[in-house]
């Protein structure tokens, strides 16, 4: 009974603290301070803390608020380490690679040269990690990921080294660009599974390599199922299949901002069957690569 009473008191106290605003309230009382980069981090992390607080996620709200307060005190605030979070096994390598890309940009001076964009890249990355660990709001995951990609690409483009050739003029023969045709690649799945069958790596890698032939590629990754189960269930299964292939593709060099994911579920069958029929050919993801 004593333990029950103790937990009840602790739980009630937590609710009272959450209702009062917790660390978010403390952070909001501060003013942005430090460098321009740190000020932008403060603003970005406060916005994330507010969003999580409004969703009732007081733990992550406090984490972001703590980062905001540290930034405005002038302290160094590093992006999250994906390895320290409980991420899906197939997502962790993607986020580890993204962090390495972010740290390389920061190490090259992005926080001084492009402080606002660098802060947006870091806060979007941390948002991506946090949402990916929850792994229940695909739209929020995609929004954070896409914001990170846009910011990091802006940084890398702006900070790309400029090669200057002196005292030598090279006239290049202009060649007409070779027209590349759209091409599709297919990945198959076992029944009711969102894990690609063994050997799928080669097909996904071929799609990733073909993407590099285009200046402005577009990659559509569409998930399909056979006709067993409801429309709603198969739409979700097709979505999981498309997402699994997309993340494998990103590991192999596909650019996330080029990818469009779709699910057709048990519509547009490759092999026409009656409803409720298992058919291996229909359990697939089609990767279509096209562009200029």
């Amino acid at each position: 009974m004593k333990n029950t009473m103790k937990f009840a008191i602790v739980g009630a106290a937590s609710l009272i603290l959450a209702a009062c605003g917790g660390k978010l309230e403390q952070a909001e009382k501060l003013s942005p301070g430090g460098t321009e980069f740190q000020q932008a981090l403060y603003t970005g992390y406060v916005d994330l803390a507010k969003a999580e607080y409004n969703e009732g996620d007081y733990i992550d709200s406090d984490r972001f608020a703590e980062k905001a307060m540290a930034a405005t005190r002038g302290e160094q605030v590093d992006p999250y380490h994906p390895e320290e979070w409980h991420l899906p096994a197939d997502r962790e390598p993607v986020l580890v690679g993204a962090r390495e890309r972010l740290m390389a940009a920061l190490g090259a001076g992005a926080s001084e040269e492009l402080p606002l964009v660098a802060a947006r890249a870091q806060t979007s990355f941390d948002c991506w990690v946090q949402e990916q660990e929850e792994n229940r709001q695909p739209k929020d995951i995609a929004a954070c990921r896409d914001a990170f990609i846009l910011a990091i690409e802006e940084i890398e483009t702006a900070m790309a080294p400029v090669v200057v050739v002196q005292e030598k003029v090279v006239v290049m023969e202009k060649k007409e660009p070779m027209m590349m045709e759209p091409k599709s690649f297919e990945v198959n799945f076992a029944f009711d599974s969102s894990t690609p069958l063994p050997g799928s790596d080669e097909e996904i890698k071929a799609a990733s390599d073909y993407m590099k032939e285009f200046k402005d590629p577009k990659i559509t990754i569409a998930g399909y199922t056979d006709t067993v189960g409801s429309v709603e269930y198969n739409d979700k299964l097709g979505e999981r299949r498309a997402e699994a292939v997309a993340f494998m593709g990103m590991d192999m060099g596909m650019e996330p901002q080029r990818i469009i994911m779709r699910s057709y579920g048990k519509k547009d069958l490759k092999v026409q069957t009656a409803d409720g029929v298992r058919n291996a050919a229909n359990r697939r993801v089609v990767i279509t690569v096209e562009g200029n």
Side-chain angles (χ1 to χ4, degrees), residues 210-224:
Y210 193 67
M211 176 202 73
K212 298 171 186 175
E213 301 292 333
F214 295 93
K215 179 181 177 182
D216 187 22
K218 182 177 79 172
I219 307 164
T220 303
I221 300 179
Y224 299 84

Side-chain angles (χ1 to χ4, degrees), residues 30-282:
L30 302 177
S31 299
T35 65
E36 191 175 0
F37 173 64
Q38 289 166 330
Q39 292 177 37
L41 283 180
Y42 166 81
T43 300
Y45 282 126
V46 165
D47 288 343
L48 290 175
K50 286 180 181 177
E52 293 306 308
Y53 185 85
N54 290 335
E55 291 183 359
D57 184 351
Y58 304 122
I59 292 175
D60 283 313
S61 177
D62 281 352
R63 286 173 174 165
F64 286 133
E66 286 173 352
K67 286 195 147 194
M69 290 188 283
T72 203
R73 288 194 299 264
E75 298 175 14
Q76 179 173 325
V77 180
D78 291 329
Y80 286 142
H81 290 270
E83 305 94 328
E84 297 174 358
W85 291 67
H86 299 294
L87 300 172
D90 59 342
R91 302 322 193 247
E92 184 177 314
V94 175
L95 282 156
V96 169
R99 188 181 191 277
E100 291 173 355
R101 193 174 170 186
L102 174 59
M103 294 305 294
L106 294 174
S111 59
E112 292 83 23
E113 294 185 33
L114 298 162
L116 300 183
V117 185
R120 189 165 72 248
Q122 178 165 327
T123 54
S124 298
F125 174 79
D126 282 355
C127 174
W128 183 10
V129 172
Q130 181 264 323
E131 292 290 348
Q132 189 66 79
E133 184 189 58
E134 290 182 352
N135 203 31
R136 56 185 174 80
Q137 295 174 301
K139 290 183 179 179
D140 289 351
I141 295 170
C144 297
R145 180 195 67 213
D146 293 349
F148 167 75
I149 293 296
L150 287 173
I152 199 69
E153 285 207 331
E154 184 176 342
I155 292 169
E156 291 170 346
T157 300
M159 298 182 65
V162 178
V163 178
V164 178
V165 179
Q166 296 180 341
E167 298 180 358
K168 185 176 182 181
V169 177
V170 178
V171 178
M172 300 294 293
E173 181 182 353
K174 185 177 180 181
K175 295 183 179 180
E176 291 297 321
M178 184 172 61
M179 297 300 293
M180 301 294 293
E181 294 294 325
K183 191 172 181 180
S184 293
F185 305 82
E186 189 169 291
V187 177
N188 294 103
F189 296 78
F191 177 72
D192 199 27
S193 171
S194 58
T195 301
L197 290 174
S200 298
D201 290 17
E202 293 181 9
E203 193 77 355
I204 299 171
K205 182 65 166 61
S208 179
D209 290 342
Y210 193 67
M211 176 202 73
K212 298 171 186 175
E213 301 292 333
F214 295 93
K215 179 181 177 182
D216 187 22
K218 182 177 79 172
I219 307 164
T220 303
I221 300 179
Y224 299 84
T225 69
D226 58 28
T227 61
V228 178
S230 68
V231 171
E232 293 77 10
Y233 182 84
N234 281 294
D235 284 347
K236 290 293 184 183
L237 178 57
E239 185 177 295
R240 293 197 302 274
R241 286 174 174 171
E243 190 177 54
V245 171
F247 274 94
M248 289 177 69
M250 282 187 268
D251 283 343
M252 297 177 189
M254 287 186 187
E255 301 171 28
Q257 76 278 12
R258 306 287 187 186
I259 295 173
I260 299 171
M261 285 184 282
R262 303 187 187 282
S263 173
Y264 294 99
K266 56 182 183 178
K267 298 186 289 290
D268 297 336
L269 299 173
K270 183 175 183 179
V271 177
Q272 293 299 317
T273 70
D275 197 38
V277 176
R278 295 191 184 193
N279 186 289
N282 288 330

